[in-house]
Amino acid sequence: MADSDRDKQVCLDNEITTIHQKKLFALLCIPASVVTVFLVFSQVFVSATPDHWCRIPELDDFTYDGNISLTELEKKSMSIPFKNGRYEKCLMYDIDYRKQLSSFNKSHVDNVNATLPTIPCQYGWTYDRNNYDSTLVTELNLVCDDSWKPSLATTLFYLGSLIGSIVFGFISDRYGRRPALLLVLIPDILISVMTCYSPNYMVYTILRTLSGLFFPALYQICFVLALELVGHSQRTTIGVIIAMCFALGMCLLAILSHFLRDAFKLSLATSVPLLAMLSYYWLIPESPRWLLSKNRGEEAKIIIAKLTKTKATWLPQCYPSKPLKEVFCSSPKTTPELIRNSTKARSKEEKCVTLFDALGYSQTRIKFLILSFNWIANSIVYNGLSYNVGNLGISDQLAFFIGGIVEIPGHLATLYTMNIYGRRNVLFSMMFSGGLACISCMLVAEDNVWLTLVLAMFGKFGNAAAFSVFYVFIGELLPTVIRSQAMGVASFVAGIGLLGFPQIIRLVSVTIDKYISLWCNSNTYFYCG
């Protein structure tokens, strides 16, 4: 083939993306956004803990002046201690309610003696139904002495993700992006459907732990595959678009939760329709870059030809499979002919390159470790803000929806600034601004609900933007042969920190007055550190 013909050959590194690449990218955005969001954050609503107080059967059945029942506020005033500006959730007065009702006087409802003895709830709980008709908590009464159980399920979910990050990252680099994606996507959808029919807390927790195995591997594999289907110049844009789709997925989940107030219905709506994605077995091809890194050029030619609608009879020089030393070490410029020859001459050592080989180079190791440990702090704050919507003073659905909306301009900000100011500068400026917002939120938490919300959302704006940089930065830092492993190890490091945040959220829910301050304080210092 003449050199002029080679120059005309279309390849994935061209500036223009073909319609076939765009269609495939759109398919990958669905599991990376909708499926991953439903998998991770459905528990925010499914196992939400509404406001609750002790149920008193005598008050439920009591009527006066013919057939007038007591309001919920009147019931609470007569039976629940009121301390520090709120009604107790797990205590009731230890009195004879039948005797009290025999001399009932509506004018005396608010004059109950606050020094009366109290006991734990004896007859179950009454739940506030303003936001939810039912949740896992209300169905199984996972409050008071059992309030630790929902947070434990979340912790075990992230414990599963620790294992999945490493395992599926290895599978993706060793056996291919497509097998790893199918191995994550198919069981994830099936387990999500099974979770809807959990008969008890134990089964629910086991299934959630199994679900955790596939997060964040599902997002990361889709992310890596999408990056490897386009040219180098388009990777930043592609990475940010996927992050924006994730934010839109959060908005969709909030909308579904608003209209489906029953935990069972919401679980079905966020799992059963995903069965259609089993069709990905036929729709998603292997990454041509991964195939080339494994010296499977003929298979790569076929996929490139389908994506670019060309006769891929020659592998363009923009697909060299570089030796590891050429990637990480400064060396003289390599000629195109030498690059093509190096593809055929790779040694067994280079074919079996691992993440540890790459981290043997000091500059790469330092950057990777810094990014990984900053990922811990960013993950704790991001997930903390997402799961903490019940403590922001407005409805959970509205707070979660606003959180998804504010992420979009955060991702757009990174798209327009990364190429101008560099990945590192944008990353740390976003983290600093997000941390500063959380500190400010701590200072005003008790004074103004909406100001608290604005500052909390600005904090989310910053760390959501930082996540865009994290994924693009690590995706560009290491070569194709170990890219998924790098994502998996960085996510594993972050996952260690995530094991603690559900317990922080639980402490938030059981403290009073300064609950948001305590939460922001404990996370922000770790975040800014």
Side-chain angles (χ1 to χ4, degrees), residues 20 93 99 242 312 386:
H20 304 283
Y93 289 126
K99 182 178 179 181
I242 292 177
S386 298

Side-chain angles (χ1 to χ4, degrees), residues 203-316:
V203 173
Y204 175 82
T205 302
I206 292 174
L207 291 175
R208 282 294 293 176
T209 304
L210 292 175
S211 295
L213 290 171
F214 311 110
F215 169 80
L218 179 58
Y219 182 90
Q220 291 166 358
I221 293 172
C222 292
F223 184 89
V224 169
L225 184 52
L227 257 60
E228 293 176 352
L229 288 170
V230 298
H232 292 280
S233 62
Q234 300 163 318
R235 286 183 174 178
T236 300
T237 302
I238 291 298
V240 172
I241 290 176
I242 292 177
M244 291 173 61
C245 290
F246 189 90
L248 291 174
M250 297 182 71
C251 295
L252 176 61
L253 178 60
I255 293 171
L256 287 175
S257 177
H258 174 74
F259 290 103
L260 301 174
R261 296 157 50 96
D262 180 89
F264 177 73
K265 293 178 181 178
L266 180 62
S267 297
L268 288 179
T270 55
S271 57
V272 173
L274 302 180
L275 290 172
M277 300 189 67
L278 299 180
S279 60
Y280 274 45
Y281 178 83
W282 296 276
L283 298 176
I284 301 297
E286 184 54 86
S287 164
R289 297 185 193 276
W290 179 85
L291 290 171
L292 287 168
S293 74
K294 297 298 182 181
N295 280 348
R296 295 163 60 178
E298 293 303 317
E299 297 174 61
K301 287 179 184 179
I302 297 173
I303 295 175
I304 294 171
K306 290 180 179 179
L307 290 175
T308 60
K309 285 298 180 182
T310 60
K311 296 179 180 179
T313 57
W314 171 77
L315 285 179

